[in-house]
Amino acid sequence: MTTTIRKCTLQDLQALKEISIQTFDDTFRAKNKPENIDVYLKMTFQSSLLAEELAHPSSEFYFIYYNNQLAGYLKVNTSDAQTEKMDKNSLEIERLYLLSSFQKKGLGDEWMKFAFKRAKELNKHSIWLGVWEKNENAVAFYKKYGFEKVGAHSFYMGDEEQVDWIFSVAL
Ligand SMILES: CC(C)(COP(=O)(O)OP(=O)(O)OC[C@H]1O[C@@H](n2cnc3c(N)ncnc32)[C@H](O)[C@@H]1OP(=O)(O)O)[C@@H](O)C(=O)NCCC(=O)NCCS
């Protein structure tokens, strides 16, 4: 098997939109009200917003391919692109997703190694992320890579208040 990671450009907008919607839907629909998920998907993954995110100088999107098939995407932020006020020496993993059929094949490990490598290249001292407390799979995955809970914040999925745990790891 071959695994390739490459940086996304504006040319990838449509593919990025499709994989963003699909992976979010697969991950969260079962544990949420369908109407809340529908609105969230429509608002968050609008082409115009994704295009702005792709153009942001402090955000980077990547695609991962497994045997030349698109398998997932990653979004990392630094400096003012971070979604919380954080240290300028930190890198945020904002989105890290694999399509269901490509999970448990080692690609999560590839993503994590890549994120650590990228953070070091950018001279960052830590990586942080927000993860829904009920996303037990992702919580266990991040703990495996040394992430620890350093805080929490509220997040609204439609009319429902949810808690995201803030996880961080020093490099
Ligand atoms: C989280 C996710 C990226 C993990 O990817 P994956 O393909 O399952 O991970 P891998 O197979 O590469 O596993 C990497 C390591 O993490 C471990 N791991 C993965 N999931 C785990 C879990 N639920 N509990 C404990 N360990 C876990 C694996 O055992 C492996 O370690 P090992 O090599 O020592 O066995 C993937 O499940 C996913 O995309 N989930 C849906 C999206 C999501 O929730 N994203 C996070 C949003 S914050």
Side-chain angles (χ1 to χ4, degrees):
M1 71 107 177
T2 58
T3 307
T4 321
I5 291 175
R6 76 159 174 92
K7 194 167 179 193
C8 299
T9 69
L10 202 48
Q11 312 277 48
D12 297 308
L13 181 61
Q14 189 54 33
L16 178 64
K17 180 174 176 164
E18 284 167 18
I19 197 168
S20 299
I21 291 172
Q22 164 124 42
T23 51
F24 193 93
D25 199 73
D26 288 349
T27 306
F28 299 113
R29 182 170 290 278
K31 287 189 181 172
N32 284 280
K33 294 184 197 165
E35 60 273 27
N36 286 347
I37 289 285
D38 290 342
V39 171
Y40 186 90
L41 291 175
K42 202 168 162 208
M43 300 305 292
T44 309
F45 301 120
Q46 296 173 55
S47 300
S48 56
L49 278 184
L50 282 177
E52 277 175 32
E53 292 176 46
L54 276 163
H56 196 298
S58 301
S59 292
E60 297 175 0
F61 285 86
Y62 294 90
F63 280 162
I64 191 165
Y65 295 85
Y66 184 80
N67 290 337
N68 299 320
Q69 288 177 277
L70 180 59
Y73 81 103
L74 171 74
K75 182 186 180 196
V76 296
N77 299 318
T78 52
S79 60
D80 64 336
Q82 296 177 98
T83 60
E84 299 256 325
K85 232 180 154 28
M86 287 280 172
D87 197 287
K88 66 175 174 25
N89 291 317
S90 59
L91 174 141
E92 175 188 13
I93 294 180
E94 187 186 351
R95 300 177 194 149
L96 185 157
Y97 287 90
L98 294 170
L99 291 163
S100 318
S101 54
F102 293 99
Q103 292 174 17
K104 304 201 188 306
K105 295 179 187 298
L107 298 185
D109 187 55
E110 296 282 340
W111 266 154
M112 217 30 106
K113 284 184 187 146
F114 180 81
F116 275 71
K117 180 172 79 86
R118 191 69 191 119
K120 283 179 189 156
E121 280 168 3
L122 295 168
N123 294 317
K124 301 302 173 192
H125 300 169
S126 63
I127 302 181
W128 73 275
L129 55 90
V131 57
W132 186 27
E133 60 176 348
K134 293 192 180 158
N135 189 353
E136 287 116 6
N137 180 50
V139 166
F141 171 73
Y142 293 130
K143 282 185 176 167
K144 177 162 170 58
Y145 291 89
F147 284 83
E148 288 177 356
K149 188 180 164 195
V150 293
H153 67 197
S154 282
F155 167 87
Y156 279 88
M157 176 56 80
D159 58 352
E160 219 178 280
E161 186 177 3
Q162 304 186 342
V163 177
D164 267 2
W165 286 341
I166 308 298
F167 272 21
S168 178
V169 66
L171 299 177

